[in-house]
Amino acid sequence: MRRLHFMQEVGNVLVLRAAKTKKKKSHMHGYIDCHCHISARDFDKDVEEVIENSKKAGLLALLAVAEHAGEFTKIIELSERFPGFIFPCLGVHPVQEVSPEQQRSASLQDLDAALPIIEKYKDQLVAVGEVGLDFTPRFVSGESEKETQKLVLIRQAQVAKELDLPLNVHSRSAGRPTIHLLKEQGVEKALLHAFDGKPSVAMEGVKAGYFFSVPPSITRSEQQKLVKQLPLENICLETDSPALGPEKQVRNEPRNICVSAEYISKVKGVSLETVMEVTTQNALRLFPKLKSAIRP
Ligand SMILES: [Zn+2]
């Protein structure tokens, strides 16, 4: 009798243990940085240390987005140097850098240079990006530049569809046209990074099934209303490193992902653990290729 009781208890403990292990397996424990410029020159000197520190801060993976064809190979190389941790996204950003001081609106030539390389690495990509629209007056002087940006985005939305990949999207001073264009193009999977449009426009995106990622600069930005309104089920985390850090003019790093998570946890009144679990599940749903590739 005593022995039977003992055996039953051992049995229960084993069942409990099995349940716990099972839970751990289905819930990847950690954050995903859904939008980051790890190929930026700012990280050339200490990328190893930056990645190490981000892992210590609880990061499981980061999506390395591109701005122009000139950095595609560097991004692919970084993803091969940190396999299962850095995941490449290639695309043409609406704003192109001429020099560190000078930028211009993207052109069809930028797209022509990028498309063959995207095709070449298509199997390695987890998304097409960074793509989008940027109607900041200092980058666009007239309607024709806006139209060209739209054409560049439309073509990349088509490529993403052909490759069955989600889009990693930038929109600045162009919230409404960006969301409307994505919907018109029948885009089903998109991440709107650091969205600066109205919450009402963002909610149109939520209805279309889009996700919105929140950078650490949220602690000092005007987009706090947006986070309040967005359902947690549509929120992902990002750092946009080296930009959009918690402090202006200081290099942002992927380890600051917890600044975003802590902010969301406060605003939503849920635990940090919940923010981690839900945003990571969201990222895995949006970028399904990550699921089998992350090495926790
Ligand atoms: Zn970016």
Side-chain angles (χ1 to χ4, degrees):
M1 187 67 180
R2 266 193 85 160
R3 186 168 168 81
L4 183 66
H5 184 72
F6 173 75
M7 288 308 284
Q8 260 173 354
E9 246 176 11
V10 169
N12 285 343
V13 169
L14 285 178
V15 168
L16 267 175
R17 267 197 203 144
K20 266 193 183 162
T21 337
K22 209 174 170 191
K23 199 181 170 208
K24 254 191 188 159
K25 262 190 181 163
S26 65
H27 289 265
M28 280 198 228
H29 194 82
Y31 300 115
I32 297 177
D33 185 346
C34 294
H35 184 111
C36 165
H37 298 267
I38 198 69
S39 60
R41 285 184 291 270
D42 309 61
F43 295 117
D44 281 352
K45 278 191 187 140
D46 60 348
V47 67
E48 201 88 37
E49 204 184 328
V50 168
I51 296 299
E52 216 34 63
N53 289 337
S54 74
K55 286 180 180 171
K56 279 182 200 152
L59 207 67
L60 281 176
L62 65 83
L63 270 63
V65 294
E67 295 186 335
H68 58 91
E71 64 181 335
F72 286 3
T73 328
K74 188 172 179 183
I75 288 180
I76 296 293
E77 279 167 8
L78 279 165
S79 73
E80 287 166 348
R81 193 167 147 201
F82 300 93
F85 190 78
I86 292 184
F87 294 92
C89 310
L90 303 183
V92 176
H93 192 287
V95 175
Q96 297 289 304
E97 195 180 274
V98 181
S99 69
E101 299 80 31
Q102 204 194 342
Q103 285 126 333
R104 58 163 177 83
S105 197
S107 70
L108 293 170
Q109 285 77 10
D110 299 321
L111 185 64
D112 289 341
L115 292 179
I117 315 178
I118 293 177
E119 170 68 23
K120 181 177 171 194
Y121 293 112
K122 60 183 177 189
D123 294 333
Q124 280 158 266
L125 305 184
V126 296
V128 171
E130 169 171 5
V131 300
L133 299 177
D134 194 321
F135 293 168
T136 309
R138 71 173 189 279
F139 303 136
V140 290
S141 48
E143 279 310 307
S144 84
E145 283 176 325
K146 289 185 185 175
E147 286 312 309
T148 307
Q149 279 194 18
K150 284 184 182 171
L151 288 177
V152 172
L153 175 56
I154 289 171
R155 184 70 193 102
Q156 294 185 96
Q158 290 166 345
V159 169
K161 206 174 200 178
E162 283 158 22
L163 300 178
D164 194 23
L165 288 173
L167 285 175
N168 208 318
V169 185
H170 167 104
S171 90
R172 194 71 25 94
S173 303
R176 195 183 300 271
T178 304
I179 299 274
H180 287 181
L181 186 147
L182 295 178
K183 284 170 69 180
E184 279 160 22
Q185 292 301 312
V187 171
E188 286 173 3
K189 291 183 137 198
L191 177 78
L192 278 300
H193 112 89
F195 189 72
D196 74 342
K198 285 187 187 155
S200 59
V201 177
M203 291 313 283
E204 283 186 52
V206 166
K207 266 190 206 147
Y210 303 158
F211 292 84
F212 292 79
S213 56
V214 178
S217 60
I218 188 68
T219 53
R220 56 179 172 87
S221 95
E222 289 160 17
Q223 284 311 91
Q224 303 185 343
K225 250 195 213 158
L226 177 69
V227 177
K228 235 178 225 170
Q229 287 201 26
L230 286 171
L232 190 55
E233 284 62 39
N234 292 77
I235 294 181
C236 289
L237 305 177
E238 66 156 305
T239 63
D240 200 31
S241 303
L244 302 189
E247 280 175 87
K248 234 183 171 176
Q249 314 295 351
V250 177
R251 181 182 78 166
N252 190 18
E253 292 182 26
R255 68 167 161 188
N256 287 331
I257 198 83
C258 37
V259 176
S260 298
E262 276 158 22
Y263 179 84
I264 295 165
S265 139
K266 241 186 258 165
V267 169
K268 296 291 184 198
V270 298
S271 69
L272 197 58
E273 188 64 28
T274 303
V275 173
M276 180 191 272
E277 253 179 49
V278 177
T279 56
T280 294
Q281 289 305 318
N282 291 345
L284 296 175
R285 227 182 311 143
L286 177 59
F287 306 107
K289 277 193 179 179
L290 292 178
K291 260 182 231 165
S292 54
I294 288 179
R295 298 182 194 165

XYZ file of all heavy atoms in Angstrom, residues 35 37 65 67 130 193 240, ligand 1:
64
model
N 13.567 43.734 -36.397
C 14.031 44.742 -37.358
C 15.283 45.414 -36.796
O 15.205 46.164 -35.824
C 12.921 45.774 -37.596
C 13.260 46.803 -38.636
N 12.634 46.851 -39.863
C 14.155 47.815 -38.640
C 13.119 47.859 -40.567
N 14.052 48.464 -39.845
N 19.544 46.801 -37.924
C 20.561 47.029 -38.966
C 21.934 46.614 -38.444
O 22.793 47.452 -38.207
C 20.567 48.492 -39.397
C 19.272 48.928 -39.999
N 19.032 48.898 -41.346
C 18.130 49.371 -39.421
C 17.793 49.317 -41.579
N 17.220 49.610 -40.429
N 17.840 43.621 -41.450
C 17.234 44.190 -42.661
C 18.269 44.998 -43.437
O 19.232 45.513 -42.872
C 16.013 45.085 -42.335
C 14.874 44.261 -41.763
C 16.381 46.218 -41.391
N 19.127 48.066 -46.578
C 18.586 49.295 -47.161
C 18.866 49.391 -48.657
O 18.132 50.040 -49.379
C 19.160 50.513 -46.430
C 18.707 50.568 -44.988
C 19.135 51.836 -44.263
O 20.137 52.445 -44.667
O 18.462 52.188 -43.283
N 14.424 46.061 -45.905
C 13.404 46.999 -45.494
C 12.859 47.727 -46.706
O 13.627 48.336 -47.455
C 14.043 47.961 -44.473
C 13.251 49.154 -44.112
C 13.880 49.911 -42.931
O 14.967 49.567 -42.458
O 13.245 50.872 -42.478
N 7.274 48.591 -39.165
C 8.249 48.884 -38.121
C 8.199 50.365 -37.742
O 8.065 51.222 -38.620
C 9.648 48.428 -38.584
C 10.612 49.517 -38.845
N 11.432 50.022 -37.856
C 10.886 50.210 -39.950
C 12.172 50.979 -38.379
N 11.860 51.126 -39.639
N 15.707 48.380 -34.331
C 16.167 49.258 -35.413
C 17.606 49.723 -35.160
O 18.035 50.746 -35.682
C 15.236 50.471 -35.597
C 15.381 51.119 -36.972
O 15.676 50.395 -37.925
O 15.224 52.355 -37.079
Zn 15.157 50.300 -40.220
